[in-house]
Amino acid sequence: MAELQGQGGGAAADPRGVLRRGRAFLDFFWDIAKPEQEVRLAATESLLRHLREGRKEDELQYTLTRLVEGLGATREAARPGFSLALAQVLQAFEEIPMCSVLEQIKEKHNLEKVKKKLVRNAAFGNFFGVMALFQSGRLVKDQKALLESIQLLQQLAHQQAHLRDLPRKTLIDIVSEVPEAVFQEVLFGILQSDLASAFASPENLHLLLVGIQKFPGVMKPKNLKKLFGSPTVVNQETIPRLVELLQGAAKSEKKDKKLPSVVFDLLQVTLKEGAFELFWKEGVENGLLSEKSGPVSYTCYRLLGSALPLLSLDQLQMVLKGKVMQHYGEHVVTSQLPDRFKFAPEMETYIDEFLSRCDDLQRQLAVMIGFSTLTNQGNPVLSSSSRVVRHLQPGALQKYVDWLKDMFLRPNLDCCLDFSSNRQRQNQDNVNMAQRKVARLRKWVIHRLANIIESPVKKEESLVMDIARFCFFHAFFETKKKTSQIREASVLPSEPLDDQAHSVAENYFFGLLQTLNSLTVLGDTEKAAALREKHIHGVTADGKLWIFLLVEYADKLLSSEHVKPVKPFTKGQRDAWERALQSVKNLQKKEHKSDSAKVVAFQQLLLLMAIHLFKNPSEAVDVLDDLLSCTEKAFSKEPKKKKTDSAEPGWVEVMVEILLSLLAQPSLLIRRISKSVFVRICPHLTKRGLQLILDVLDPDQEQNEESAVVVLEESNKKMKSAQHTDKEGSDDSDDSDTEEEEDDSGDEEKDEEVDEDFRSQLMNVLQAGNALQKGRDESDEELDDEAMMALDKNISALFAEQQKRIQAKKDEKDKMRKEKILRRDFKIKVLDLVEVFLTKQSENPLVFDIIEPLLRVIEQCMSSDSDKQEVDFLQKTANIFKNSLCRTKQYCKTAGDLQEDLHAFVERLVKKACKHTDSSVALYYFSASLYLLKVLRGNTPEKSSTPPTPLPEKQSTTIPQDCQVLSTGCLDMERVTAVYQQALTHFLTKRNSSLTSSMFHDLFRRFPIMCKPLVDTLVKSITAGARQHQQGQACLLLQKVLLIRELKLLLTEEEWEELIRGSLSQVTESLKMVGKCILKAEKEKVAKCFELLNFLLKTVTEQKLPVKLTELDEVLVGLNQPEGVGKSARLDSLYWNIMRWLSYTKPKKEKTVEQPVQEAVPLKRKKKGFLPETKKRKNRKKGVQENGVAPAASEDGEPAEEQPLGTEAPEQKKDLVPSSGKHKKPKRRAGEKRVAVAGSREEAVNGGDAVPDKKKKNRKRKGDAGSEAEQVPAAKKAKGFVSHETQQEQGKAKKKRKEKKTPAPQE
């Protein structure tokens, strides 16, 4: 409505007509009122550009009028749009006086003169007008406009029903931007009443606080005393009123979830006045917190977080031990339930920002200790894995770590702000509560220490080693007597550690060990930077393994008299420990002399198993014995002869067996180190060692008792420890199957067949008790009580025994299912070793031994169950086979001696692909054969028995890339050609072949040298294919082969011409056999033939080959007959693409032939309207009804004579409607022509003459309702196409309507 009023006002104010200059200018204002912000901004920019370029006074004046009117628009999205546009205009054109615009705003949106229902719009108009003046940036410079704007905002503040607190907030924003001199001269006088009533509302208080902070020279204590009787804002008398105002402000910001500005400003003023302690104690803790309200509590928490950067050390310590902290802790504990608002992430953000911006070590440490001592029954509320420590300075971090260690050894619960929730107090058991609190605190501390190493905080190696030693010592050792030689034994724990505390420390230590294993090198030295560039992890800056330093520390503890292990070593375990350490020291001496990767691998494994002696001594001793003997073999100076001692496994085989056993462990650390060790030893892997890995994956080996026992032993340990070692990454696949177990338990009883043995036993019991006798009548006496009791006892015993048998069967079945799950899980882990070997040793000839085992796994998984674990196993195997094997760019370059075996391997793979019934499995076999072809082509034979295939003479000077592509290497072309020719024949002649065209296309694309020997088979199969589908596939493959550029390099010109000629002949013969295309397969075949033929004819034409096309011409012409290829848009397009090469053109079809013939009798309709001559749609009913084309109209508006089809004049055929006429303009006729296409229905409705009777016009009838409803969209369409008339033409039309008083004669 505002926009329409603006147009009217602009037209009246400007008689010359700003509006007559075009719609583009007016459209800016319509777009400014749109709800989309992007559209509004774009329209504002365009309006400014237009005004700058035009520099027209009338347009600028109209713009101001229109924008001022739009400030009070009814639509909410339009108001800020007009306000922003007005601000931009005022900023761009500084010659516009601000006072005149303000007066225009007051006049247009006068609250006293406006109607009552428009008061809201007028209030918003004034408010957004002041906002526009302020956003322009010129309001502060114009003191008169500033004064009037402030007065206007003060008036608008009384319109709280509509504007609420918006005027006050805007007033505060304006005051905060005003210079102090202007405030003192202009604003202080008119704002005195607001400042004096500062304690009346939060907005007035906020204005006072902003004035005190921005204008300290004006808002002096003596002036404050004159205003409201007190030189300070915060004192004992004002606290109660301040609490009420802050509560109101907190509730007003409930939806925004942020700290109210007035609260934060009051905090700053309080600190400035030195009354923070009074404000915090009386105003916040005893005031705000006393109201049990969520928004008020969250405001207190936000005030706490926002105050951290502003407080001194003493103030921080006071706040962090106060009631707000305790209240916050209770909220964190109670909000852990679902569907509760959680403030903890927001508080962590406050802490993070404070620590990142604070450089004072003491304040950083105070905040960290303060939040770490907020405990719930001993357990700190702050998360032990919180990332805020990453901003601590090195000195503060060191002090924080020392404080944590001291709290672990001497838990001081008195310094903690401890609390209990209501539920905990109700269920509280006072027995051993102190010990429980200590245990909870120690658990949090040890996890906090371990997490510091994992966090990205800047730390020194000494700090990391200090934390690691502390965790290790308290996990496995105890202090007998204090000593200064061992730092961890220099202080005795005030509360001795129990077994649970040692167990917790042990679990977190191994998590810490995993972090150390993947830790980047610390330090700023050049050596450390060089190690980081090499992506070496788990070592110190001098290259030593972290785990080696811990083992050295453990050895020092074992030899000390002042400490003792929690689990003392036996003699055998201590011997294994000593041997392991001695072996590591010997390996370190050889590190620079022999293979360093091999040495590091053995060191890592020996050190890891040595550390595990403290956790699982019995298992670790067995592994260490095997590992030590393996180390001696691996680094022995006298290598043993493999021929004479072939039965004894080598060190690599032993190492592989050890790694396979370690992969079954639940510890993620063990599995990761095992994988890294395998990476280092895989260059030394032998065929027997690889076979040990592949035997695990072999489906046929699953029934082997020995391997099953090994897996079961490992898996049982895994199942026991899986509940406690989730942190280390243990798998919990058993939990995912409990639901299946419960669901299956009920179904088995229903589906289980009745046991015949149980049936016979039941019959015997019944017969023995005389309860079942043949020929017994109903009238016979029943059994006595004793017999009945004996019978019941026997039956219950029988059923109990049967139930035990059923349960035993279920347990056995469940055990087998779990074994299968664990075995599959173990295989998935072993696949990682296979992937590592294929990635790191892709040039090793042992890769060929992996192909068939992986194919067997894929084939077996395709035909087995489809549960999630099986699908994951299949997917991982398939990804390894495709990405790490078939698609790898590196392959074995020393396979010259294996060419005979590899050729036989290719034959075997291709034959299996042909014989397989599943196409998806056959694809993997075929891809493996292509991988072997790549290997054979990339190798050079040592003794070439046959000369390489010569290239044609014309291609003797080819580029090196072509020679490389067309080289055969070790390929026996005759043998390979026979294999793939047989496969191609199988694909094109067998009806149910598992091979696909994509396989052979991949063959031809990757190995162009195979195109020449196989292309003849494709040419013959165009007619010799088994079915229409195979013939079409032959055409498709032949087309793709002919497109391969390297094929022409292999053929002479004569051979190329003969190939094109033969292909054309075969396609011609195939098209001769085409009958009436009914089946889909036959149509697809014809389409493939046409595509191939299009390429062949293009080749013949462009290369000017001497090929006769007479027979083909005749066949193609015959296919154009009605009994040819039939009606298909695709075939028709392909057909005429071919005929274009034969100099045929597609005939144009007459569109009118296909039009349905309609009745020639026009429909008589009631004349509905009363239109001027310029608006009438000229008599096109007859043409639309018959053939959809409007006939020409005569000059007097009557319909022209109807002409038969095909007898129109040339100009009529072209334009359909002549361009001459008395009342017809070219644009109008063009619009009518487009509207005519819409259909005869709309034109029939709009084409009638007018009825002048107004009573009939307003009367609604059933028959006319539909016509009127249809008339509306037609009119809208016409409006879109017809150009707008000028105002003079509209005036003439009105004159004609008034002069015309008699109705037009009806037909």
Side-chain angles (χ1 to χ4, degrees):
M1 294 299 294
E3 290 85 346
L4 293 175
Q5 293 171 4
Q7 288 186 26
D14 186 16
R16 294 179 297 174
V18 175
L19 304 180
R20 289 179 292 173
R21 297 179 184 174
R23 288 291 306 176
F25 177 64
L26 300 178
D27 286 342
F28 295 148
F29 303 100
W30 287 94
D31 291 341
I32 288 173
K34 293 285 181 64
E36 296 82 7
Q37 185 178 4
E38 295 80 5
V39 178
R40 295 202 302 264
L41 295 176
T44 303
E45 293 177 2
S46 302
L47 176 63
L48 289 173
R49 195 182 308 113
H50 177 82
L51 293 175
R52 287 195 190 100
E53 294 173 355
R55 288 287 177 180
K56 296 178 182 178
E57 187 66 28
D58 53 352
E59 286 187 351
L60 184 59
Q61 187 62 36
Y62 177 79
T63 298
L64 290 175
T65 304
R66 185 70 181 271
L67 293 179
V68 168
E69 289 178 356
L71 294 173
T74 307
R75 290 176 292 172
E76 294 183 2
R79 300 169 195 154
F82 283 108
S83 177
L84 177 63
L86 180 59
Q88 294 296 319
V89 170
L90 293 176
Q91 186 178 6
F93 298 93
E94 295 188 359
E95 63 270 16
I96 302 174
M98 299 287 285
C99 290
S100 65
V101 177
L102 184 59
E103 290 299 327
Q104 192 174 354
I105 293 169
K106 290 180 180 179
E107 182 181 353
K108 183 63 183 176
H109 306 288
N110 195 333
L111 292 171
E112 297 177 356
K113 298 180 181 180
V114 75
K115 295 180 181 179
K116 187 176 180 179
K117 63 179 181 180
L118 297 177
V119 170
R120 176 182 172 85
N121 294 347
F124 272 109
N126 285 289
F127 170 71
F128 278 107
V130 177
M131 284 289 294
L133 299 178
F134 175 56
Q135 289 175 349
S136 67
R138 297 172 52 196
L139 184 62
V140 180
K141 303 175 184 177
D142 193 331
Q143 295 186 4
K144 183 180 178 183
L146 175 64
L147 181 62
E148 294 181 2
S149 298
I150 295 296
Q151 291 174 343
L152 181 57
L153 286 175
Q154 287 176 328
Q155 295 175 12
L156 293 175
H158 300 294
Q159 302 289 333
Q160 290 189 357
H162 305 300
L163 301 177
R164 297 185 181 179
D165 56 350
L166 290 176
R168 289 291 182 186
K169 289 183 176 180
T170 306
L171 178 61
I172 294 169
D173 292 338
I174 294 176
V175 169
S176 62
E177 298 292 333
V178 171
E180 188 171 0
V182 176
F183 176 80
Q184 186 174 6
E185 295 175 6
V186 180
L187 301 183
F188 186 65
I190 62 171
L191 292 177
Q192 278 193 359
S193 60
D194 295 326
L195 295 173
S197 59
F199 295 97
S201 67
E203 291 78 17
N204 290 352
L205 177 62
H206 194 193
L207 178 63
L208 174 66
L209 297 174
V210 170
I212 292 174
Q213 294 181 81
K214 295 290 183 180
F215 317 113
V218 180
M219 306 297 291
K220 296 178 181 179
K222 62 178 182 179
N223 293 335
L224 295 180
K225 191 170 184 179
K226 291 179 183 179
L227 287 174
F228 50 83
S230 174
T232 59
V233 177
V234 181
N235 50 55
Q236 199 69 40
E237 291 77 17
T238 59
I239 284 292
R241 183 56 187 160
L242 287 175
V243 170
E244 295 178 5
L245 294 177
L246 295 183
Q247 288 175 349
K251 293 175 182 178
S252 66
E253 298 285 352
K254 178 180 178 181
K255 293 183 179 179
D256 295 335
K257 294 183 179 179
K258 64 179 183 180
L259 181 68
S261 302
V262 62
V263 180
F264 186 70
D265 288 336
L266 180 59
L267 172 66
Q268 291 179 311
V269 171
T270 302
L271 290 169
K272 184 178 180 181
E273 294 179 350
F276 175 76
E277 186 174 355
L278 173 65
F279 168 71
W280 193 261
K281 293 283 187 182
E282 301 298 330
V284 179
E285 295 183 349
N286 298 331
L288 288 177
L289 278 182
S290 61
E291 182 178 350
K292 303 298 182 182
S293 170
V296 177
S297 299
Y298 300 144
T299 298
C300 294
Y301 306 155
R302 293 187 177 101
L303 181 61
L304 170 64
S306 303
L308 295 177
L310 307 176
L311 303 181
S312 63
L313 182 60
D314 295 335
Q315 291 170 342
L316 279 174
Q317 292 175 349
M318 179 196 73
V319 167
L320 294 175
K321 294 296 181 183
K323 294 181 181 179
V324 178
M325 279 288 286
Q326 184 172 350
H327 202 276
Y328 165 70
E330 293 174 359
H331 159 77
V332 173
V333 174
T334 56
S335 66
Q336 292 177 357
L337 298 174
D339 302 329
R340 295 279 185 93
F341 175 70
K342 297 175 176 58
F343 192 82
E346 191 173 341
M347 182 60 78
E348 189 161 335
T349 304
Y350 282 119
I351 301 171
D352 195 73
E353 291 179 357
F354 165 75
L355 294 176
S356 62
R357 297 175 182 177
C358 178
D359 297 329
D360 187 357
L361 304 185
Q362 296 298 327
R363 293 171 64 209
Q364 279 191 340
L365 184 63
V367 170
M368 285 304 304
I369 293 178
F371 279 94
S372 299
T373 51
L374 177 61
T375 58
N376 170 236
Q377 293 188 349
N379 184 38
V381 169
L382 183 67
S383 173
S384 58
S385 57
S386 174
R387 296 171 58 86
V388 297
V389 294
R390 69 182 187 271
H391 297 299
L392 289 177
Q393 299 291 331
L397 180 63
Q398 182 64 57
K399 291 182 179 179
Y400 183 57
V401 169
D402 294 339
W403 178 84
L404 288 172
K405 289 159 52 177
D406 186 62
M407 286 294 286
F408 184 86
L409 294 172
R410 294 176 294 186
N412 185 9
L413 296 176
D414 295 334
C415 73
C416 296
L417 187 61
D418 197 73
F419 65 91
S420 300
S421 64
N422 293 331
R423 181 174 298 181
Q424 288 173 340
R425 282 193 289 268
Q426 292 173 2
N427 302 330
Q428 184 169 328
D429 185 8
N430 294 326
V431 180
N432 297 329
M433 178 54 66
Q435 294 181 1
R436 184 170 180 269
K437 289 182 178 180
V438 169
R440 285 162 63 92
L441 179 61
R442 280 175 168 168
K443 181 179 179 181
W444 184 91
V445 167
I446 203 74
H447 188 205
R448 175 77 274 184
L449 285 170
N451 189 263
I452 286 175
I453 296 180
E454 189 177 353
S455 65
V457 63
K458 186 177 181 180
K459 47 191 175 288
E460 300 293 334
E461 287 185 354
S462 58
L463 179 67
V464 173
M465 193 60 200
D466 186 28
I467 295 175
R469 287 165 52 138
F470 183 85
C471 295
F472 177 78
F473 180 87
H474 294 289
F476 304 111
F477 286 89
E478 292 177 340
T479 304
K480 294 191 295 184
K481 184 180 179 180
K482 288 200 304 183
T483 175
S484 58
Q485 298 176 358
I486 301 173
R487 188 186 307 171
E488 289 72 27
S490 60
V491 179
L492 291 174
S494 60
E495 292 283 340
L497 276 70
D498 55 4
D499 293 339
Q500 183 180 1
H502 286 298
S503 177
V504 168
E506 175 185 313
N507 290 334
Y508 285 126
F509 168 74
F510 280 101
L512 181 148
L513 199 59
Q514 179 182 332
T515 303
L516 290 176
N517 184 57
S518 57
L519 188 67
T520 56
V521 181
L522 303 175
D524 299 328
T525 61
E526 295 181 0
K527 192 173 182 181
L531 291 174
R532 281 195 294 268
E533 288 180 0
K534 296 178 182 179
H535 303 286
I536 295 177
H537 302 281
V539 298
T540 59
D542 55 357
K544 291 184 179 180
L545 291 168
W546 284 106
I547 192 173
F548 173 72
L549 298 178
L550 287 173
V551 168
E552 277 190 331
Y553 174 68
D555 189 55
K556 179 181 178 182
L557 294 178
L558 287 173
S559 59
S560 174
E561 299 178 353
H562 300 86
V563 298
K564 64 175 181 179
V566 176
K567 300 176 183 177
F569 282 175
T570 62
K571 185 178 180 181
Q573 293 166 1
R574 185 59 187 267
D575 183 55
W577 171 268
E578 297 291 345
R579 289 174 58 204
L581 258 64
Q582 186 61 40
S583 180
V584 169
K585 291 177 182 177
N586 295 336
L587 288 174
Q588 288 179 345
K589 296 176 183 178
K590 300 178 181 180
E591 188 170 356
H592 300 289
K593 298 179 181 179
S594 58
D595 188 0
S596 61
K598 179 179 170 184
V599 170
V600 172
F602 275 91
Q603 278 189 62
Q604 273 191 318
L605 211 51
L606 284 168
L607 293 170
L608 177 66
M609 298 318 299
I611 285 286
H612 268 77
L613 277 172
F614 293 96
K615 186 177 183 180
N616 296 318
S618 58
E619 293 182 11
V621 166
D622 296 337
V623 176
L624 271 177
D625 289 340
D626 296 337
L627 195 56
L628 288 169
S629 62
C630 179
T631 307
E632 293 176 1
K633 292 180 182 178
F635 295 96
S636 177
K637 295 182 180 179
E638 298 179 359
K640 296 181 179 180
K641 298 180 180 179
K642 295 183 179 179
K643 294 182 180 179
T644 58
D645 198 11
S646 59
E648 185 179 353
W651 69 268
V652 177
E653 288 84 2
V654 176
M655 181 64 84
V656 168
E657 289 181 350
I658 294 173
L659 295 179
L660 288 175
S661 66
L662 294 179
L663 279 180
Q665 295 290 330
S667 172
L668 180 61
L669 172 64
I670 292 180
R671 297 203 301 270
R672 283 185 175 176
I673 289 185
S674 300
K675 187 176 178 180
S676 65
V677 167
F678 184 77
V679 170
R680 291 183 168 95
I681 69 165
C682 62
H684 307 280
L685 195 63
T686 61
K687 191 167 185 177
R688 287 177 61 183
L690 179 62
Q691 193 60 42
L692 290 173
I693 299 174
L694 298 177
D695 286 343
V696 177
L697 302 175
D698 192 357
D700 299 333
Q701 296 287 334
E702 289 190 359
Q703 303 302 326
N704 190 350
E705 294 181 2
E706 184 178 355
S707 62
V709 168
V710 172
V711 174
L712 277 175
E713 288 176 357
E714 303 293 343
S715 62
N716 286 333
K717 295 168 188 173
K718 175 182 174 180
M719 289 170 62
K720 291 178 183 177
S721 57
Q723 301 173 358
H724 307 287
T725 55
D726 291 338
K727 180 179 179 298
E728 294 188 11
S730 62
D731 303 312
D732 52 353
S733 55
D734 295 339
D735 299 336
S736 62
D737 303 294
T738 54
E739 295 180 1
E740 299 177 7
E741 184 179 352
E742 292 174 0
D743 296 339
D744 295 339
S745 61
D747 297 336
E748 288 183 6
E749 295 180 1
K750 298 178 181 178
D751 300 335
E752 190 174 4
E753 297 181 358
V754 179
D755 190 357
E756 293 297 332
D757 293 338
F758 174 69
R759 185 195 296 271
S760 61
Q761 292 176 8
L762 183 60
M763 294 286 289
N764 295 334
V765 169
L766 293 174
Q767 289 176 359
N770 295 325
L772 186 65
Q773 295 181 5
K774 294 182 180 180
R776 183 181 180 123
D777 297 333
E778 295 180 359
S779 59
D780 293 340
E781 295 182 0
E782 297 180 355
L783 296 175
D784 54 3
D785 292 342
E786 294 182 2
M788 203 62 159
M789 292 294 292
L791 181 62
D792 288 344
K793 186 177 180 180
N794 293 334
I795 291 175
S796 61
L798 181 62
F799 273 97
E801 186 179 352
Q802 177 66 11
Q803 190 64 32
K804 289 180 180 178
R805 284 197 293 267
I806 293 174
Q807 188 63 38
K809 289 181 180 179
K810 288 181 182 179
D811 294 342
E812 184 66 24
K813 187 176 181 180
D814 185 61
K815 181 181 177 183
M816 293 176 63
R817 183 174 59 84
K818 289 183 177 180
E819 288 177 8
K820 182 180 178 182
I821 291 171
L822 292 169
R823 192 182 297 114
R824 181 72 64 236
D825 183 65
F826 180 62
K827 287 185 176 184
I828 291 175
K829 295 171 185 174
V830 173
L831 275 178
D832 292 335
L833 302 184
V834 176
E835 185 177 13
V836 165
F837 183 77
L838 290 175
T839 304
K840 301 294 182 181
Q841 294 293 312
S842 55
E843 299 184 4
N844 196 320
L846 291 176
V847 170
F848 304 133
D849 295 334
I850 300 178
I851 296 175
E852 283 189 303
L854 290 183
L855 288 172
R856 280 198 297 270
V857 170
I858 294 173
E859 186 174 359
Q860 190 264 344
C861 290
M862 286 284 194
S863 58
S864 60
D865 299 334
S866 59
D867 58 331
K868 184 179 183 302
Q869 193 187 31
E870 192 77 19
V871 171
D872 293 343
F873 181 50
L874 171 61
Q875 187 175 5
K876 186 169 185 177
T877 308
N879 288 337
I880 291 172
F881 186 83
K882 288 187 297 183
N883 302 323
S884 301
L885 180 66
C886 295
R887 295 179 183 175
T888 181
K889 295 182 180 180
Q890 304 295 329
Y891 54 87
C892 180
K893 302 292 179 62
T894 58
D897 298 337
L898 303 173
Q899 54 180 322
E900 181 64 30
D901 297 334
L902 293 180
H903 280 91
F905 201 177
V906 171
E907 293 175 355
R908 191 162 65 250
L909 291 173
V910 174
K911 286 180 181 178
K912 285 187 178 181
C914 294
K915 292 180 180 179
H916 216 284
T917 56
D918 191 350
S919 180
S920 57
V921 178
L923 175 61
Y924 289 101
Y925 278 96
F926 201 87
S927 300
S929 70
L930 297 184
Y931 167 74
L932 294 179
L933 280 188
K934 179 174 69 174
V935 173
L936 287 169
R937 186 185 62 183
N939 280 268
T940 54
E942 296 180 0
K943 297 179 181 179
S944 55
S945 57
T946 57
T949 306
L951 293 175
E953 294 180 0
K954 65 165 187 170
Q955 301 294 345
S956 58
T957 59
T958 55
I959 57 178
Q961 289 86 348
D962 293 332
C963 296
Q964 184 178 1
V965 170
L966 301 178
S967 65
T968 58
C970 289
L971 275 176
D972 187 348
M973 286 303 298
E974 295 182 3
R975 191 171 178 181
V976 172
T977 300
V979 173
Y980 285 101
Q981 189 167 17
Q982 184 180 359
L984 185 59
T985 306
H986 181 276
F987 167 59
L988 296 172
T989 57
K990 299 297 181 181
R991 298 177 66 88
N992 295 323
S993 176
S994 60
L995 305 179
T996 61
S997 60
S998 61
M999 299 180 188
F1000 291 99
H1001 180 228
D1002 198 19
L1003 169 67
F1004 295 136
R1005 179 179 55 82
R1006 294 172 58 186
F1007 305 98
I1009 199 160
M1010 298 297 296
C1011 296
K1012 180 179 178 181
L1014 298 180
V1015 72
D1016 292 337
T1017 305
L1018 292 175
V1019 174
K1020 293 177 183 177
S1021 299
I1022 295 176
T1023 56
R1027 292 184 299 175
Q1028 306 283 354
H1029 175 70
Q1030 274 90 344
Q1031 295 175 12
Q1033 293 298 313
C1035 294
L1036 176 65
L1037 279 174
L1038 180 59
Q1039 180 188 357
K1040 291 180 177 179
V1041 167
L1042 293 175
L1043 286 170
I1044 296 175
R1045 185 180 62 87
E1046 290 82 1
L1047 178 61
K1048 291 193 69 176
L1049 301 177
L1050 294 167
L1051 298 176
T1052 61
E1053 293 182 0
E1054 293 78 9
E1055 290 175 340
W1056 175 254
E1057 291 178 7
E1058 185 61 31
L1059 176 59
I1060 299 297
R1061 189 179 294 108
S1063 301
L1064 282 170
S1065 175
Q1066 287 292 319
V1067 174
T1068 305
E1069 292 297 325
S1070 179
L1071 292 177
K1072 283 182 182 179
M1073 297 185 292
V1074 173
K1076 198 169 184 180
C1077 286
I1078 299 175
L1079 298 177
K1080 181 180 178 181
E1082 195 167 2
K1083 286 187 178 182
E1084 288 295 328
K1085 170 204 165 181
V1086 173
K1088 296 292 189 298
C1089 288
F1090 282 173
E1091 291 173 357
L1092 174 61
L1093 196 54
N1094 185 40
F1095 171 76
L1096 293 173
L1097 292 176
K1098 178 182 178 182
T1099 304
V1100 169
T1101 304
E1102 291 179 350
Q1103 299 181 10
K1104 299 179 182 180
L1105 300 178
V1107 179
K1108 293 183 180 181
L1109 303 175
T1110 308
E1111 185 179 4
L1112 177 62
D1113 196 337
E1114 296 175 357
V1115 173
L1116 290 175
V1117 171
L1119 290 177
N1120 194 29
Q1121 302 303 321
E1123 64 274 5
V1125 294
K1127 294 182 179 180
S1128 171
R1130 182 188 174 202
L1131 290 179
D1132 186 67
S1133 176
L1134 291 172
Y1135 176 81
W1136 288 109
N1137 284 343
I1138 296 169
M1139 299 304 286
R1140 180 169 55 87
W1141 298 108
L1142 299 176
S1143 302
Y1144 288 90
T1145 56
K1146 184 177 181 180
K1148 295 183 179 180
K1149 295 183 180 180
E1150 293 292 338
K1151 295 183 180 179
T1152 56
V1153 178
E1154 298 180 0
Q1155 293 292 334
V1157 180
Q1158 300 181 359
E1159 293 180 5
V1161 181
L1163 296 174
K1164 291 186 179 181
R1165 296 183 181 272
K1166 290 282 186 180
K1167 298 184 178 179
K1168 305 295 294 181
F1170 185 173
L1171 296 175
E1173 292 295 325
T1174 56
K1175 296 291 185 178
K1176 284 186 178 180
R1177 309 184 69 170
K1178 297 298 181 178
N1179 302 308
R1180 291 177 287 172
K1181 284 190 294 184
K1182 292 183 180 180
V1184 171
Q1185 287 172 352
E1186 291 188 4
N1187 54 11
V1189 180
S1194 60
E1195 291 182 0
D1196 56 357
E1198 294 294 325
E1201 272 186 72
E1202 187 177 347
Q1203 297 180 1
L1205 293 173
T1207 60
E1208 298 91 340
E1211 60 272 9
Q1212 288 177 337
K1213 282 187 177 182
K1214 183 176 182 182
D1215 298 328
L1216 298 179
V1217 180
S1219 60
S1220 62
K1222 185 176 180 180
H1223 301 291
K1224 308 176 187 69
K1225 297 179 177 60
K1227 291 183 180 180
R1228 174 67 181 166
R1229 295 304 303 157
E1232 288 178 357
K1233 180 179 176 182
R1234 284 191 289 268
V1235 173
V1237 182
S1240 60
R1241 186 178 180 185
E1242 295 177 6
E1243 292 156 328
V1245 172
N1246 294 308
D1249 292 334
V1251 178
D1253 194 353
K1254 292 184 179 179
K1255 293 182 180 178
K1256 290 184 180 180
K1257 186 175 182 180
N1258 295 330
R1259 191 178 301 151
K1260 294 187 177 180
R1261 300 175 183 174
K1262 291 184 179 179
D1264 298 337
S1267 300
E1268 290 176 2
E1270 292 173 0
Q1271 194 169 358
V1272 174
K1276 287 183 179 179
K1277 287 187 178 181
K1279 182 179 178 182
F1281 288 107
V1282 181
S1283 60
H1284 299 286
E1285 296 177 334
T1286 62
Q1287 292 181 353
Q1288 295 177 356
E1289 290 171 339
Q1290 291 177 356
K1292 290 179 182 179
K1294 290 180 182 178
K1295 268 188 177 181
K1296 288 183 180 180
R1297 292 194 194 99
K1298 292 179 181 178
E1299 292 171 0
K1300 192 170 184 179
K1301 296 180 180 179
T1302 56
Q1306 297 183 2
E1307 293 180 0

